[in-house]
Amino acid sequence: MALDFTLPPDILELRDRVRRFITEEVRPAEEGCETRDDFRRVIIDLRAKARAEGLWCPHMPTDWGGMGLGQVAMATVSAECGRSQIGSFVLNCQAPDEGNMHTLLMFGDDEQKERYLRPLVEGTTRSCFAMTEPEVAGSDPTGIQTCAVEDGDDWVINGHKWFISGARGARFAILIARTDPEADPPQARNTAFIVDTDNPGWKVVRDIETMSGHHNHCEILIEDCRVPGSAILGERGGGHKLGQARLAGGRLAHCMRWIGQAEQVLDMMVERSQTRELHGGVLADKQAVQWMISHSALEIYQGKLMTLHSAYLLQNDLPFRQEISMTKYHVANALWRILDRAIQVHGALGYSSDSPLERMMRQARSARLVDGADEVHLSQMHRFVV
């Protein structure tokens, strides 16, 4: 069978369009932002431009107002978005909303789609996905303690969630709760619910401060949160299946954006090496620096091939779990190493907050934890090898 590693002309043309938009519109605008309100105003302004450019909601079907892109095309678009802080927000393909749009499209009924999916696609509302809990390991959803109990036609939910990204400002949450504690297999114990965040039983405790500051990763208390039976998303006992379907694409979307970020960092490393003079030459003349740049380019190349192959498998409904685990593990670790090399090449400047590298490195540490810790993915790979 022939192997073809070229991208179709329409995807190459789309990549160039997105790259121009990010380079000429998004990055210059975000450079003047200092506060969250600054970023919000810029995003709103740029979203109008993205719509005018035909670059809105690339991951959603055309009959829902999106661009109807497959996974391979989205890999290309997301990598370009990753070259800026707000690129994915401007195109309305940011986490966690991107994953929630896919989830509602796959599992929602007609009423749920109109009430919750439509505003997400239109960009008039935000959402979050509430699964992780502080009391149990996030890598084992069968241990979720948040419980939902039937009360007539309603369900009453009680529990504790944390690191719920985008919770502040979200209009609704897709929440995973235990409904059938005795179910066998254990994967059938959980159910997904749509919970409006103005429900009196939904309480945002705090925005958890991390080593990279506050980024709207919130702790949530769910206390006697009453929702109707129609709030179930998908089927009762189908929360695990729904979560796994959502996370596969979510892991890959993270990798796509991390690739774009790594490319941006490599560009900075190259520029610094070519302009920083010492000992009668520039850093680019030093073999140690050449090797750091070469190793970084190599890891980006590997990550791109892995990401595109995983996207191909998803797009064509082929087995993908091992490949996505490999990709997520490799790209998350490569991003960390490339940032470390870039800081080294920049010296004191890279370590200081005068450069974006120190902020990027603090944020990148979470990549080895989100959507499955490194060790979980390594174990997943092992199961396919032995």
Side-chain angles (χ1 to χ4, degrees):
M1 184 177 70
L3 293 176
D4 184 359
F5 289 98
T6 61
L7 290 172
D10 59 328
I11 295 182
L12 291 174
E13 188 273 335
L14 174 63
R15 180 200 64 189
D16 292 341
R17 284 175 56 206
V18 176
R19 181 172 296 181
R20 282 195 299 271
F21 185 74
I22 296 295
T23 302
E24 297 174 7
E25 300 286 351
V26 178
R27 290 185 64 177
E30 73 182 7
E31 286 177 1
C33 296
E34 296 182 358
T35 67
R36 188 165 292 181
D37 287 339
D38 291 339
F39 280 108
R40 188 177 294 112
R41 285 191 293 269
V42 167
I43 289 170
I44 291 172
D45 178 58
L46 289 173
R47 280 187 161 189
K49 295 182 179 180
R51 285 179 182 271
E53 292 283 340
L55 297 176
W56 183 253
C57 260
H59 57 291
M60 289 300 292
T62 54
D63 57 354
W64 276 91
M67 297 174 65
L69 300 185
Q71 290 287 348
V72 174
M74 269 308 300
T76 305
V77 170
S78 294
E80 297 303 321
C81 287
R83 291 173 174 264
S84 79
Q85 294 184 66
I86 59 174
S88 60
F89 287 88
V90 172
L91 272 60
N92 197 23
C93 57
Q94 70 284 340
D97 296 311
E98 178 190 18
N100 285 350
M101 289 185 219
H102 283 303
T103 303
L104 286 162
L105 188 65
M106 285 190 290
F107 295 95
D109 58 33
D110 289 343
E111 182 179 348
Q112 290 169 334
K113 289 177 182 178
E114 284 301 321
R115 183 175 178 182
Y116 296 104
L117 177 57
R118 183 76 64 186
L120 278 184
V121 176
E122 292 174 350
T124 60
T125 193
R126 293 292 313 279
S127 64
C128 60
F129 186 79
M131 182 170 73
T132 305
E133 300 179 358
E135 292 84 6
V136 295
S139 299
D140 182 10
T142 63
I144 282 175
Q145 298 298 298
T146 296
C147 63
V149 178
E150 280 186 286
D151 184 16
D153 293 331
D154 295 341
W155 290 82
V156 179
I157 309 173
N158 284 277
H160 187 196
K161 303 288 186 180
W162 79 335
F163 280 94
I164 307 308
S165 299
R168 286 195 187 277
R171 176 190 160 192
F172 68 91
I174 297 177
L175 179 146
I176 307 298
R178 176 164 45 86
T179 53
D180 301 274
E182 304 304 321
D184 187 21
Q187 287 77 10
R189 294 173 182 171
N190 298 332
T191 301
F193 293 86
I194 302 176
V195 178
D196 293 317
T197 56
D198 61 0
N199 189 309
W202 173 275
K203 297 181 176 65
V204 177
V205 178
R206 58 177 174 140
D207 180 357
I208 300 169
E209 185 165 4
T210 69
M211 63 188 294
S212 64
H214 292 284
H215 295 284
N216 200 6
H217 304 306
C218 297
E219 180 182 5
I220 310 293
L221 278 181
I222 303 103
E223 298 179 322
D224 296 327
C225 180
R226 183 175 291 271
V227 298
S230 59
I232 290 180
L233 179 60
E235 59 185 6
R236 177 173 176 171
H240 186 88
K241 180 174 67 175
L242 179 147
Q244 290 302 306
R246 183 187 186 280
L247 283 172
R251 286 167 178 149
L252 194 55
H254 276 309
C255 291
M256 298 167 187
R257 289 186 284 267
W258 292 335
I259 288 288
Q261 188 176 6
E263 288 182 320
Q264 178 191 0
V265 172
L266 178 59
D267 289 344
M268 294 172 64
M269 203 188 320
V270 170
E271 181 180 2
R272 176 71 170 182
S273 73
Q274 292 174 339
T275 57
R276 186 64 164 179
E277 297 185 3
L278 80 165
H279 302 155
V282 292
L283 283 175
D285 296 333
K286 311 303 179 186
Q287 187 181 59
V289 174
Q290 294 170 359
W291 285 9
M292 284 191 275
I293 291 173
S294 296
H295 280 301
S296 299
L298 172 63
E299 291 186 307
I300 290 173
Y301 178 46
Q302 293 168 329
K304 277 186 173 181
L305 288 177
M306 296 172 77
T307 301
L308 288 171
H309 182 229
S310 295
Y312 168 84
L313 295 175
L314 268 179
Q315 184 167 306
N316 290 280
D317 296 321
L318 297 169
F320 58 78
R321 291 186 66 186
Q322 179 186 18
E323 287 79 6
I324 286 185
S325 282
M326 288 178 169
T327 303
K328 197 273 177 180
Y329 174 86
H330 171 79
V331 177
N333 282 271
L335 176 62
W336 177 262
R337 290 190 293 267
I338 293 167
L339 275 162
D340 184 65
R341 295 179 193 124
I343 289 174
Q344 197 71 14
V345 170
H346 282 74
L349 173 62
Y351 187 64
S352 76
S353 58
D354 287 359
S355 161
L357 292 170
E358 62 85 24
R359 168 186 55 80
M360 295 166 76
M361 184 132 195
R362 284 186 283 113
Q363 292 177 350
R365 184 58 184 86
S366 67
R368 293 175 54 205
L369 296 170
V370 299
D371 287 353
D374 280 357
E375 293 73 21
V376 173
H377 288 291
L378 288 170
S379 295
Q380 175 73 17
M381 297 174 218
H382 178 263
R383 284 197 290 271
F384 282 93
V385 172
V386 297

